[in-house]
Amino acid sequence: MAPTPNWLRRRGARPEAASDALWDICPHCNERLYKKDLAELLWVCPKCGHNFRISALDRISLLADGDFREVAEDLMTGDPLQWTDRVSYVTKTAGDRTKSGLMEAILTGFCAIDGVAVGLGVMDFAFRGGTMGSVVGEKVTLLIEECGRRRLPAVVVCASGGARMEEGMVALMQMAKTSAAVARFAELGLPFITVLTDPTTGGVSASYGFQADVIIAESGAAIGFAGRRVIDQTIRQKLPDGFQSSEFLLEHGQVDMVVRRADLKPTLGRVLRFFAARLAAVPA
Amino acid sequence: MAPTPNWLRRRGARPEAASDALWDICPHCNERLYKKDLAELLWVCPKCGHNFRISALDRISLLADGDFREVAEDLMTGDPLQWTDRVSYVTKTAGDRTKSGLMEAILTGFCAIDGVAVGLGVMDFAFRGGTMGSVVGEKVTLLIEECGRRRLPAVVVCASGGARMEEGMVALMQMAKTSAAVARFAELGLPFITVLTDPTTGGVSASYGFQADVIIAESGAAIGFAGRRVIDQTIRQKLPDGFQSSEFLLEHGQVDMVVRRADLKPTLGRVLRFFAARLAAVPA
Amino acid sequence: MNVIVELEKPLLELESKIEGLKRLNETQRVDFSVEIRALEAKANQLKAEIFGNLTPWQRVHLARHPRRPLALDYITALDGFTELHGDRTFRDDPAIVAGFAYLSGMPVYVLGEQKGRDTKENLYRNFGMPHPEGYRKAQRIMKLAEKFRRPLLTFVDTPGAYPGIGAEERGQSQAIAACLQLLAGLRTPIVVNVTGEGGSGGALGIALGDHIIMLQHAWYSVASPEAAASILWSDATKADEAAKRLRLTSEELSEFGIIDEVVAEPLGGAHHDTQDVIRRILDADKRAVRRLMRLPTDELIDRRYEKYRKIGAHTELLHGRAAR
Amino acid sequence: MNVIVELEKPLLELESKIEGLKRLNETQRVDFSVEIRALEAKANQLKAEIFGNLTPWQRVHLARHPRRPLALDYITALDGFTELHGDRTFRDDPAIVAGFAYLSGMPVYVLGEQKGRDTKENLYRNFGMPHPEGYRKAQRIMKLAEKFRRPLLTFVDTPGAYPGIGAEERGQSQAIAACLQLLAGLRTPIVVNVTGEGGSGGALGIALGDHIIMLQHAWYSVASPEAAASILWSDATKADEAAKRLRLTSEELSEFGIIDEVVAEPLGGAHHDTQDVIRRILDADKRAVRRLMRLPTDELIDRRYEKYRKIGAHTELLHGRAAR
Ligand SMILES: [Zn+2]
Ligand SMILES: [Zn+2]
């Protein structure tokens, strides 16, 4: 396993291990995999190529060259609806914080990817299914605004079940807020790139997820607007093979490329170098 | 029959009657129709509603309120390819001039439609199948440029078999020339409206025909990129019902509305009044 | 079954009895005016009992009432509505109507999510659930509004964007996302009317604007109560529970600052006086458009940005921004 | 059957004989160099005979030669080509490839109409005949080029836009028309390379630009010779006749001022020295891009307008404009 990067050591918080088991089972091919090996394998099943869902921390380790300077790290959600069902929203998010080692479903900050300075946001499915509430919307907006001020490309790695129910319309409005930030950023002529990972649906796919100049899908991810269950219940007919997979979206013209996890960093580097290159730097 | 308008009497030239027959046969329902009645009926079959193809002169009579001040009326095509097959291109166009009473496949000028001042171009299928060569391209471009200078809406009624073979690439380049004129006109924030009549295909549909802010199709027209014969020969399978009809295009989202000939002038008037109204004229 | 339609039944019976007596009163010699007044008093009392204290879930049903005014009822009440069709790419989506009209003489572009009145019409309109091509037609209209500097009026009434195979294949997410980006930067005033159901992203796709008006008994939510119950508790029958928790009523959304103006409905809902409700909505639109048209465009866009920029609920804020 | 492939056969036999002798020369003691020289002289003579005086119709076949370099051969010869996919609406069309790359260190966007090398690949690429979604993907790339102020390079090689049911349903006309309008006003330099077949509107859709380069034996025409013969004489077999009349060769189009620069091919066509031809094309691109990038954008757009504005052949001109 790779040594823990400085920024991560500094950060302190680490997620609790989900279980003490030494082995993980690949949900795709049922292969038994030794947990300690998985990090070396980039959390990709060596037998079938299935990408395990990974934490935002691990994703940043995979992408950032060295240091990752986190911003807005203390932002914590309120409870606008005073939500309670079986347990209160406050209790739920407190649990997620402990479990994930994160304050919220996204980490944002600044780093270099393959040598290119960027603003980077990475969502984490382990926190409320990566849903977008106030904090995700605010952090994405702050990141894009700050990229605008620093004239840096913005990159967001998406993993989200959509808008967060427990924040109601305040959550839905984060789609509008982030869209407005993207619209301003686009007018500055700066590049915005998203990476859609498993799963990217609902309010995140229908806002900044699909507003980027270049949209990269990680292989084998489920990407769509409506969840499969909702579609099943609505149309009650067999879904096509590979429906809502990254590869399906590529064929249907929705994403620019499908990239394997191992190729993600060099691919992002290639794209960023092109989009970030200044015309002035070009030999005449 | 309506009295001949002044502009038309002034114009002098009239097409030769295609035949001396007193009767026309509706190509759609085979109804025998007394020719003298057809003008009163707006050249629409009273039995089945089929729109007979009509001359540019008749179309202008249908649309213009009163006077139509023709421009670029003397523009005559050259013979850039020195084309000859069974007969020379020069002979062909000379024949078309006599037969149609027109110098070329389009008339352009200025008039009012339902009270709104516009630049109006009307194509005529009787001249080389309404094909676009140098003169059609030039006259459309001049009309749009002049509308830009006068800050008037531009309306073009299309009827065309596409680019004119006998002018080769000079004809194809008219697509580029007219597109450039439309692009400039659009940047001025002025409205451009096209009416697609039977038939509108090829180089005209793939340039200014489909570049308008509002696209109106006359009912029952054949509209498309490729001709039916070409498609038949390429795919060798049954074409869907109503393929390439105005109504088919409406369903497929390609045109804003399908309008019967009798409704065309009031509809154009309604659209033009809206698009031509100055915000300044609005009560606060 | 619509719970409001059920609740209304005794009231409708009573009202039809009153009508009958009134007809008798006119045609017969006997005077029933005392009985009529008594029955009318009873009807008013019944109305107050039924509608005076509706639960959020009942109000959701009020917003779905089969006689509630639909988008086209408002749109055709404008002068000279002319419909424009198609996305220029794939299909004309009847679940979104688009075009132009005059609001008290002012040229405006309009967009509305349109349901049907009966089964046949609902199949044609896909129950007001747009496909991506509907949102792409909407984008075309938004761009026209910007190009010709006319205000854009939208009427929101959808259970949600359609969740189907074709919709996913043709990029429902992308279509809505593109609407949002376009609306956020659109250099012309945008006035939004949430008149019926405001179902999630499918509603928001045409609901990002400068001034958001909501009818009193419309609902607007991050998810329909059924969907939320299904997502949260895997049990769509708990929709009434979800309706309560989601804070989807006009009063609550006003408090959150998400809705700018609530237009009152008559007791019993908009369908009890459709013409009056339409007039109130269009009056509100007129006031909003006139006010917004006085703003310089850059200021309009800046205010729109700030309007959405400040929505959120978080406790530790960067840059000293005040938390909700 | 490709007539050039037929014509080439004796030449290829001779060349393979020469190759055989050369191998013998290296491995055996006997010296065949005299014989080799004699055969080489004969081969050159044969080549000159075959290719020295091709008819337009034969040149059309040269442009369709199965070994002729295709769009991706040029594009992948650029540095760091990265392909971008999809129209964000309906489908990724493999008949148009799109992406970005570096031309001698300069970041450029690229578009190309791409045929296949074999049947399987041709079915995938639809023989280089784009659908509307291909032109819509192209529009996406054009907008990126404008947004990020990078030059756009296009490689034209198509028999034409696809004439099929789906293509018509999804608006082939609209898709090409939108490309033309976008290219006409695109605020970044556009360099076009017609490298193979320039089939009508399907070619023009990505061929409106500031500097139009054409390979010597490419063809570019208002219609393919077959289509023109069919349209004019209802007889596609008269394609050779049409090819002659249409003036579709690089020399003729240069004279008309429609092509700005012709890049020479080796005797026998581009496939006789693919690497050299690619290098020549990219050199021409580089010169053009560098020159165009020095122009202020407004001047670039004005010049582009004038470039097309003046194409035409008419005898009575308004405003005293000179006739061709
Ligand atoms: Zn596996
Ligand atoms: Zn008839």
Side-chain angles (χ1 to χ4, degrees), chain A residues 87-98:
Chain A
V87 288
S88 72
Y89 179 48
V90 171
T91 310
K92 287 184 192 181
T93 48
D96 281 0
R97 279 195 292 276
T98 312

mmCIF file of all heavy atoms in Angstrom, chain A residues 87-98:
data_model
loop_
_atom_site.group_PDB
_atom_site.id
_atom_site.type_symbol
_atom_site.label_atom_id
_atom_site.label_comp_id
_atom_site.label_asym_id
_atom_site.label_seq_id
_atom_site.Cartn_x
_atom_site.Cartn_y
_atom_site.Cartn_z
ATOM 1 N N VAL A 87 -35.006 8.116 13.007
ATOM 2 C CA VAL A 87 -34.106 8.933 13.824
ATOM 3 C C VAL A 87 -34.063 10.318 13.200
ATOM 4 O O VAL A 87 -34.490 10.509 12.082
ATOM 5 C CB VAL A 87 -32.677 8.346 13.884
ATOM 6 C CG1 VAL A 87 -32.642 7.089 14.735
ATOM 7 C CG2 VAL A 87 -32.163 8.059 12.488
ATOM 8 N N SER A 88 -33.525 11.271 13.944
ATOM 9 C CA SER A 88 -33.496 12.637 13.424
ATOM 10 C C SER A 88 -32.373 12.774 12.399
ATOM 11 O O SER A 88 -31.400 12.006 12.384
ATOM 12 C CB SER A 88 -33.278 13.625 14.558
ATOM 13 O OG SER A 88 -31.939 13.528 15.006
ATOM 14 N N TYR A 89 -32.519 13.770 11.548
ATOM 15 C CA TYR A 89 -31.489 14.064 10.553
ATOM 16 C C TYR A 89 -30.173 14.391 11.235
ATOM 17 O O TYR A 89 -29.104 13.975 10.788
ATOM 18 C CB TYR A 89 -31.968 15.231 9.679
ATOM 19 C CG TYR A 89 -30.995 15.664 8.613
ATOM 20 C CD1 TYR A 89 -30.389 14.724 7.768
ATOM 21 C CD2 TYR A 89 -30.678 17.008 8.428
ATOM 22 C CE1 TYR A 89 -29.504 15.133 6.782
ATOM 23 C CE2 TYR A 89 -29.801 17.421 7.440
ATOM 24 C CZ TYR A 89 -29.209 16.477 6.626
ATOM 25 O OH TYR A 89 -28.337 16.882 5.660
ATOM 26 N N VAL A 90 -30.268 15.091 12.354
ATOM 27 C CA VAL A 90 -29.061 15.450 13.097
ATOM 28 C C VAL A 90 -28.306 14.191 13.533
ATOM 29 O O VAL A 90 -27.083 14.100 13.402
ATOM 30 C CB VAL A 90 -29.434 16.323 14.319
ATOM 31 C CG1 VAL A 90 -28.232 16.529 15.232
ATOM 32 C CG2 VAL A 90 -30.000 17.669 13.860
ATOM 33 N N THR A 91 -29.053 13.209 14.006
ATOM 34 C CA THR A 91 -28.433 11.954 14.419
ATOM 35 C C THR A 91 -27.824 11.213 13.228
ATOM 36 O O THR A 91 -26.716 10.682 13.305
ATOM 37 C CB THR A 91 -29.489 11.052 15.107
ATOM 38 O OG1 THR A 91 -30.152 11.821 16.096
ATOM 39 C CG2 THR A 91 -28.847 9.833 15.733
ATOM 40 N N LYS A 92 -28.591 11.211 12.124
ATOM 41 C CA LYS A 92 -28.090 10.536 10.925
ATOM 42 C C LYS A 92 -26.759 11.111 10.464
ATOM 43 O O LYS A 92 -25.811 10.382 10.176
ATOM 44 C CB LYS A 92 -29.092 10.687 9.768
ATOM 45 C CG LYS A 92 -30.364 9.860 9.874
ATOM 46 C CD LYS A 92 -31.190 10.065 8.594
ATOM 47 C CE LYS A 92 -32.607 9.529 8.718
ATOM 48 N NZ LYS A 92 -33.364 9.730 7.456
ATOM 49 N N THR A 93 -26.687 12.436 10.372
ATOM 50 C CA THR A 93 -25.460 13.043 9.857
ATOM 51 C C THR A 93 -24.318 12.883 10.857
ATOM 52 O O THR A 93 -23.168 12.713 10.456
ATOM 53 C CB THR A 93 -25.663 14.535 9.526
ATOM 54 O OG1 THR A 93 -26.300 15.165 10.625
ATOM 55 C CG2 THR A 93 -26.534 14.695 8.293
ATOM 56 N N ALA A 94 -24.648 12.893 12.136
ATOM 57 C CA ALA A 94 -23.602 12.665 13.140
ATOM 58 C C ALA A 94 -23.012 11.267 12.940
ATOM 59 O O ALA A 94 -21.793 11.072 12.972
ATOM 60 C CB ALA A 94 -24.174 12.815 14.545
ATOM 61 N N GLY A 95 -23.893 10.308 12.705
ATOM 62 C CA GLY A 95 -23.429 8.945 12.462
ATOM 63 C C GLY A 95 -22.564 8.860 11.222
ATOM 64 O O GLY A 95 -21.519 8.192 11.205
ATOM 65 N N ASP A 96 -22.995 9.542 10.176
ATOM 66 C CA ASP A 96 -22.222 9.532 8.931
ATOM 67 C C ASP A 96 -20.855 10.167 9.116
ATOM 68 O O ASP A 96 -19.878 9.734 8.503
ATOM 69 C CB ASP A 96 -22.987 10.273 7.825
ATOM 70 C CG ASP A 96 -24.084 9.407 7.236
ATOM 71 O OD1 ASP A 96 -24.234 8.257 7.692
ATOM 72 O OD2 ASP A 96 -24.778 9.881 6.314
ATOM 73 N N ARG A 97 -20.803 11.196 9.930
ATOM 74 C CA ARG A 97 -19.508 11.843 10.167
ATOM 75 C C ARG A 97 -18.542 10.858 10.808
ATOM 76 O O ARG A 97 -17.388 10.745 10.408
ATOM 77 C CB ARG A 97 -19.681 13.090 11.038
ATOM 78 C CG ARG A 97 -20.152 14.310 10.250
ATOM 79 C CD ARG A 97 -19.966 15.610 11.024
ATOM 80 N NE ARG A 97 -20.841 15.694 12.181
ATOM 81 C CZ ARG A 97 -22.109 16.113 12.126
ATOM 82 N NH1 ARG A 97 -22.652 16.492 10.974
ATOM 83 N NH2 ARG A 97 -22.844 16.167 13.206
ATOM 84 N N THR A 98 -19.037 10.125 11.820
ATOM 85 C CA THR A 98 -18.188 9.145 12.487
ATOM 86 C C THR A 98 -17.773 8.031 11.526
ATOM 87 O O THR A 98 -16.601 7.692 11.393
ATOM 88 C CB THR A 98 -18.964 8.503 13.666
ATOM 89 O OG1 THR A 98 -19.564 9.541 14.415
ATOM 90 C CG2 THR A 98 -18.042 7.675 14.533
#
